[in-house]
Amino acid sequence: AQSVTQLDSHVSVSEGTPVLLRCNYSSSYSPSLFWYVQHPNKGLQLLLKYTSAATLVKGINGFEAEFKKSETSFHLTKPSAHMSDAAEYFCVLGTSGTYKYIFGTGTRLKVLA
Amino acid sequence: DAGVIQSPRHEVTEMGQEVTLRCKPISGHNSLFWYRQTMMRGLELLIYFNNNVPIDDSGMPEDRFSAKMPNASFSTLKIQPSEPRDSAVYFCASSLVVGYTFGSGTRLTVV
């Protein structure tokens, strides 16, 4: 069975400190993994994607994620949080050959001044 | 490219009225999805089209919901009659190979 788990529903960090948003997945097949960000009252924007190429994926706005098959993880990181990073982040699992993507429940990131 | 375009951005309607949500996918994308987002249930896939053909509508809540894609550049999601529990943000997304591009959504409020 395919599933994705976001380990934290809420994360708070101070501005200028590192961000870590955790995501674990379960898939019997080679996964595609994505991180999307949703700012309040906005649509979902693709931050980055992993599709079996390089395991360290760089995205927009300084975010990156590392695919670790042995740990079935795809955690999202950023070295230094900015106030504009406050949003909800979704980890998404796709499986080759299927259109159905599985969305995590989201992690709400709060950035403190 | 202007991205996925949805209209209207906001819709407030009375219970029992018909509501039509519209979506223009990215040119060249062959897959289109309608999602619904609520606080209680998160993101739910309602229906998936591939090359304008509905492939999976198992997520459509009930017969009050219908969706069409008459051509590659336009899709509608209709609710008739609408009910307060239909209040949500409805997203359209399109895709070519891997990954979705989402529209900005339509916030529907049924009073």
Side-chain angles (χ1 to χ4, degrees), chain B residues 12-27:
Chain B
V12 180
T13 191
E14 291 184 348
M15 182 174 63
Q17 295 298 306
E18 177 181 295
V19 175
T20 300
L21 312 182
R22 297 172 177 80
C23 175
K24 177 178 168 54
I26 290 175
S27 177

Side-chain angles (χ1 to χ4, degrees), chain B residues 11-21 36 61-66 77-88 90 107-111:
Chain B
E11 177 81 37
V12 180
T13 191
E14 291 184 348
M15 182 174 63
Q17 295 298 306
E18 177 181 295
V19 175
T20 300
L21 312 182
R36 178 171 67 177
E62 46 200 272
D63 293 345
R64 298 185 297 107
F65 285 68
S66 62
L77 178 68
K78 185 178 293 186
I79 308 172
Q80 166 65 17
S82 58
E83 296 182 3
R85 60 192 168 119
D86 302 330
S87 297
Y90 291 81
R107 182 174 296 276
L108 174 65
T109 303
V110 183
V111 298

